[in-house]
Amino acid sequence: MSSPSPDEAADEQMRKTVRRKIAWRVIPVLAFAYLMANLERTNLGVASLSMNASLGLTTATYGLAAGLYFVGYFVFEVPSNLAMARYGARKWLARIAITWGLVATATAAVQGPVSLYVMRILLGVAEAGLFPGVVFYFTLWFIPRDRAKMIALFGIGATVSGLAGPPLAGAILSLWPHGILGLEDWRALFVLEGLPSIIVGLLIWKVLVDSPDKARWLTGAEKAWLAEHIDSSTGTAGSRNPLHALTDIRVLLLSLTYFTKNAGGYVLVFFMPQIIQTLTVQRGAHYSTLTIALLSAIPAVFAAFTAITWAAHSDRRQERRWHSAIPLCLAGIGIIWAASATHPIVLLIALTIASAGIGSVSGAFFQIPPAFLAGPAVAVGIATVNATGNLGGFVGPYLFGILKETTGSFFLGNLILAALLFLGAAIIFLPMFRTQPESSDVTRPAKTDPSPADAA
């Protein structure tokens, strides 16, 4: 293989320098924000072990409460991204974090199913726009060949919440089984893990800037290089109209795929502790809340590793469809296996496979819309995919809870979720996506992986 020319070598060195500077500046605070956002979701699953009895929730009403978060999220997702485009990422992402922290803390005051439903909807309204806002924000800062891995690094916040959230929540419930500061254990949980989100919002306000041209920590040459490469990586002309994204059949189909991904993903988030508890009780074991929470965190360890590794592989190959579809199929296989598991170790292996698959989708998947959209349409397209897709987070847990209550087991619910995941994978291979370029970045990736320092 021939050596790169001096110009190519200089361009590659500039790419690494700019990527490293930006990544260290924006990834830690945004990943921490995503961690806190996902703690509010993860903790509901652990809190349900005592909250359901306290509030008189059945499996179905709990599933409805878990899923209603996505109703508020869906309605306000696109408006939130449009507001971010108007007011800037710094102000708007800070607002999102502060308001969801306030709502999450206030959830400790719910008195029954109805008030819990209201707070879950308000939490979705408050957090709407975070993930698609960050994905769009990255299109302003990272060239296409680096975006999947950067999104995976950002998404590690969700993975860490899945790893640390259940044990932390389980420890709170176990250490103070009778409550703390006059609050029941699960109420104290919402307060202790809701207030830090307000601090996250203040950090975002302090650290972020809206666009590279406003970044004092980039040199003039670095800004010019980034502007040139970002401008050359947009989608087709004529797809910059924001309204175009709302009617593009490709956006709607991608929304359906993301719907299937979230239907499976949030069932795992909200029901994994109960699934593990049910099987262990059937086998005559009675694990503590903390033990179940620790077991629920195991799949997140593997999901963290596979998500970043798979996204980096997608960037290196500049291939998005296979890198989106394979994890969906893997998740489906894991969920089917979990449906038939009769031993806790086998169940954990199956749930780990499912979690690793679900966690590895987004990095590559969200590089597909920018291949055929441009400008404001990218923000609206990503928000539409994420908002519509996140309805799966409502339908999945709600349907899963109803099926469990009706049939007395999780078996049928697992099979239906697996079928949805396979459907989502099949959609990505429709001809309309096969004809889209994986990336318009003209510089091909190197054959070797970047060093860990470069990746950071």
Side-chain angles (χ1 to χ4, degrees):
M1 183 176 179
S2 59
S3 300
S5 68
D7 287 343
E8 290 174 335
D11 187 76
E12 178 65 11
Q13 183 58 46
M14 177 64 80
R15 182 184 73 86
K16 291 182 178 181
T17 300
V18 172
R19 182 186 63 183
R20 186 185 302 113
K21 278 190 173 184
I22 296 171
W24 276 112
R25 185 77 180 190
V26 306
I27 295 292
V29 65
L30 290 176
F32 185 51
Y34 203 40
L35 183 155
M36 296 308 302
N38 280 274
L39 277 180
E40 315 304 338
R41 309 175 193 180
T42 304
N43 290 345
L44 189 70
V46 178
S48 69
L49 298 175
S50 59
M51 179 186 70
N52 288 6
S54 176
L55 296 181
L57 302 179
T58 66
T59 305
T61 55
Y62 166 74
L64 176 60
L68 280 174
Y69 162 89
F70 297 99
V71 174
Y73 197 99
F74 169 75
V75 173
F76 285 88
E77 182 86 316
V78 172
S80 181
N81 256 32
L82 290 174
M84 192 185 81
R86 177 176 180 179
Y87 298 110
R90 173 173 164 265
K91 292 179 180 178
W92 198 250
L93 291 176
R95 191 283 305 163
I96 289 174
I98 291 171
T99 53
W100 98 55
L102 292 172
V103 173
T105 303
T107 303
V110 299
Q111 297 300 315
V114 175
S115 56
L116 180 61
Y117 295 160
V118 172
M119 296 310 296
R120 292 294 297 171
I121 293 173
L122 290 178
L123 185 63
V125 171
E127 195 190 318
L130 175 65
F131 183 83
V134 171
V135 172
F136 173 65
Y137 187 64
F138 282 4
T139 67
L140 306 178
W141 290 88
F142 297 106
I143 64 175
R145 60 180 288 193
D146 293 326
R147 287 177 193 160
K149 188 168 186 176
M150 294 302 107
I151 290 175
L153 288 172
F154 159 68
I156 201 172
T159 305
V160 171
S161 74
L163 171 61
L168 179 59
I172 292 173
L173 295 180
S174 296
L175 291 175
W176 296 287
H178 303 295
I180 181 175
L181 300 176
L183 299 173
E184 293 178 79
D185 53 358
W186 61 270
R187 296 183 190 275
L189 174 64
F190 286 125
V191 173
L192 293 175
E193 295 187 346
L195 291 177
S197 296
I198 300 173
I199 300 175
V200 172
L202 298 176
L203 284 174
I204 291 174
W205 180 273
K206 177 69 175 179
V207 172
L208 293 192
V209 291
D210 292 329
S211 57
D213 61 290
K214 298 179 181 179
R216 297 180 180 179
W217 37 272
L218 289 177
T219 67
E222 290 166 348
K223 292 178 182 179
W225 181 91
L226 187 59
E228 177 185 354
H229 285 71
I230 292 294
D231 288 344
S232 67
S233 69
T234 56
T236 58
S239 60
R240 295 177 179 270
N241 183 348
L243 297 180
H244 174 85
L246 298 176
T247 58
D248 193 313
I249 186 63
R250 294 167 295 187
V251 171
L252 301 179
L253 287 170
L254 289 176
S255 298
L256 180 56
T257 290
Y258 205 57
F259 177 97
T260 68
K261 179 260 185 188
N262 283 321
Y266 282 108
V267 163
L268 292 177
V269 168
F270 293 133
F271 282 94
M272 190 181 297
Q274 295 184 45
I275 293 173
I276 294 173
Q277 183 185 56
T278 297
L279 180 58
T280 54
V281 169
Q282 288 175 351
R283 293 183 60 85
H286 297 277
Y287 294 164
S288 68
T289 299
L290 179 58
T291 300
I292 293 174
L294 288 170
L295 292 174
S296 300
I298 291 175
V301 177
F302 294 89
F305 173 78
T306 55
I308 296 174
T309 303
W310 192 247
H313 191 269
S314 175
D315 278 341
R316 188 167 63 252
R317 297 291 184 180
Q318 283 297 281
E319 197 288 323
R320 309 305 185 187
R321 293 185 305 128
W322 280 100
H323 284 80
S324 301
I326 289 176
L328 287 169
C329 293
L330 190 66
I333 292 170
I335 288 176
I336 289 176
W337 193 11
S340 58
T342 57
H343 191 281
I345 294 179
V346 175
L347 176 64
L348 271 179
I349 293 174
L351 292 175
T352 297
I353 291 173
S355 297
I358 292 290
S360 299
V361 174
S362 295
F365 177 80
F366 277 103
Q367 305 317 304
I368 298 176
F372 58 84
L373 297 173
V378 176
V380 175
I382 291 172
T384 301
V385 170
N386 193 64
T388 307
N390 268 307
L391 286 178
F394 167 69
V395 175
Y398 186 39
L399 177 62
F400 199 75
I402 290 176
L403 291 174
K404 167 61 167 64
E405 201 163 279
T406 302
T407 65
S409 76
F410 295 111
F411 183 79
L412 181 58
N414 281 28
L415 295 185
I416 292 176
L417 288 175
L420 286 174
L421 290 166
F422 294 139
L423 172 63
I427 289 172
I428 297 176
F429 288 101
L430 292 173
M432 64 185 65
F433 297 115
R434 187 179 301 121
T435 59
Q436 294 301 322
E438 300 295 347
S439 170
S440 56
D441 183 19
V442 296
T443 306
R444 300 307 300 170
K447 293 296 184 182
T448 57
D449 284 321
S451 66
D454 289 336

